[in-house]
């Protein structure tokens, strides 16, 4: 169904490839620009600033507010974590060659944890730039996104190993296989029900895993929708993007799934975030941002 509540805001234009979005400590929305390198800032007044000092081939992916009050983001193309303050000062931390970092989250230990999709590792970076890596017991697993669980561990998706992983703060890893073969899990978030919710981009399903490893799968009405990212909402459900179907989806606390078409065809929705007032903001690869007010 088409929702009249969805609006789009022009951001950085074609080719810039907005990929992930988060709310910064300044109340503005910050996005990675996977196509051109660098990040963009969308102010509450609608003003747009871009910061493109990173190489174009750096291919930034996930962005989050770090424990030091700066924005940190993964640079999958040149194997670094980027850092930018709200004033626009840019720096970076080098990771091991071949890391290809994707997912990023702040752990309960106030360190940044990333998913090394290029070298089958989970890594930890302190605010002062100290790097520790933990090898995973898989080869070619393609660790993608990660989120903090209710058990003070990091949970992550293994896109090519068809599993959800858990790593504690000491680096001990546990893997949980998925019922559907070649499901291709990507985005993951901690839901309001105390479980981790994730999307299966290849299977067209949502997944739910409890801290003790029990997995449930929920097929989408459109199995070809290619769900990509997922984030919890204040009401106990989750919002997710349907990259292949040009929609924003929602699952409520009872498991009911609804979907909302985006106004521009082929806008390629990727990352999304929910602000305190419940508004859903989505990064669109065409160079724009969509927002939906429930």
């Amino acid at each position: 169904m088409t929702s009249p509540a969805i609006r789009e805001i022009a951001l950085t234009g074609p080719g810039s490839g907005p990929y992930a979005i988060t709310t910064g400590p300044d109340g503005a929305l910050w996005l990675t620009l996977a196509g051109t390198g660098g990040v963009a800032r969308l102010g509450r007044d609608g003003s747009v600033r871009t910061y493109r000092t990173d190489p174009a081939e750096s291919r930034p992916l996930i962005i989050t507010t770090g424990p030091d009050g700066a924005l940190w983001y993964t640079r999958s193309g040149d194997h670094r974590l980027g850092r930018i303050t709200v004033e626009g000062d840019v720096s970076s931390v080098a990771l091991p060659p071949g890391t290809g970092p994707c997912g990023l989250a702040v752990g309960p230990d106030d360190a940044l944890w990333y998913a090394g999709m290029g070298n089958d590792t989970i890594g930890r970076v302190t605010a002062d730039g100290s790097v520790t890596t933990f090898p995973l017991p898989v080869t070619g697993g393609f660790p993608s996104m990660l989120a903090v669980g209710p058990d003070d561990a990091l949970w992550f998706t293994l896109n090519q190993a068809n599993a959800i992983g858990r790593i504690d703060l000491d680096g001990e890893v546990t893997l949980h296989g998925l019922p559907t073969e070649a499901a291709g899990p990507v985005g993951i978030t901690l839901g309001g029900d105390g479980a981790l919710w994730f999307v299966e981009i290849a299977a067209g399903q949502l997944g739910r895993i409890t801290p003790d490893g029990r997995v449930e799968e929920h097929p989408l009405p459109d199995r070809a929708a290619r769900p990509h990212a997922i984030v919890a909402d204040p009401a106990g459900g989750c919002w997710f993007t349907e990259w292949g179907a040009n929609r924003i989806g929602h699952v409520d606390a009872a498991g009911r799934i609804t979907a909302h078409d985006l106004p521009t065809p082929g806008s390629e929705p990727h990352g999304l975030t929910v602000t305190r007032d419940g508004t859903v903001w989505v990064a669109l690869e065409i160079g724009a941002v969509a927002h939906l007010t429930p």
Side-chain angles (χ1 to χ4, degrees):
M1 63 181 174
T2 301
S3 170
I6 298 179
R7 301 289 183 268
E8 290 180 5
I9 300 172
L11 186 71
T12 48
S16 58
Y19 190 86
I21 183 169
T22 193
T23 304
D26 56 351
L29 293 161
W30 291 77
L31 301 96
T32 52
L33 303 176
T36 57
V39 299
R41 177 189 184 275
L42 176 62
R44 285 178 287 185
D45 59 357
S47 61
V48 178
R49 299 180 195 167
T50 57
Y51 304 88
R52 293 180 176 168
T53 57
D54 302 336
E57 64 271 16
S58 62
R59 188 168 171 73
L61 295 181
I62 304 304
I63 187 167
T64 192
T65 299
D68 55 353
L71 284 301
W72 290 74
Y73 53 100
T74 51
R75 288 168 44 171
S76 63
D78 60 358
H79 318 296
R80 306 180 78 88
L81 290 192
R83 178 185 182 273
I84 183 169
T85 67
V86 294
E87 294 80 23
D89 298 323
V90 178
S91 59
S92 67
V93 174
L95 304 177
T99 296
C102 183
L104 186 67
V106 177
D109 55 353
D110 282 338
L112 291 143
W113 290 74
Y114 66 84
M117 61 184 175
N119 63 358
D120 292 311
T121 61
I122 299 296
R124 178 183 184 273
V125 178
T126 59
D128 64 3
S130 176
V131 180
T132 306
T133 59
F134 302 97
L136 299 176
V138 292
T139 300
F142 214 70
S144 300
M145 305 292 186
L146 73 174
V148 178
D151 53 354
D152 285 346
L154 282 297
W155 290 74
F156 56 93
T157 53
L158 283 164
N159 179 262
Q160 293 298 300
N162 206 50
I164 303 300
R166 176 191 185 274
I167 183 169
D168 66 22
L169 300 183
D170 295 323
E172 183 176 345
V173 176
T174 306
L175 301 184
H176 302 278
L178 299 180
T180 300
E181 292 185 10
V186 185
I188 188 168
T189 191
L190 176 60
D193 57 357
L196 283 299
W197 285 77
F198 56 93
V199 296
E200 297 178 354
I201 192 170
Q205 299 184 138
L206 302 181
R208 177 183 182 273
I209 184 168
T210 57
D212 61 1
R214 288 177 295 152
V215 177
E216 301 171 359
E217 292 176 317
H218 303 267
L220 297 178
D222 178 2
R223 298 294 293 275
R226 296 191 69 78
H228 181 262
I230 188 167
V231 64
D233 71 20
C238 294
W239 291 92
F240 56 94
T241 50
E242 297 187 3
W243 173 62
N246 205 52
R247 287 190 293 254
I248 304 170
H250 183 263
V251 58
D252 66 17
R256 292 183 293 262
I257 296 172
T258 54
H260 308 273
D261 293 322
L262 289 163
T264 301
S267 58
E268 296 195 71
H270 287 295
L272 73 171
T273 191
V274 180
T275 50
R276 290 183 179 179
D277 62 358
T279 301
V280 185
W281 296 85
V282 186
L284 305 179
E285 192 170 328
I286 56 170
V289 176
H291 64 101
L292 178 152
T293 304

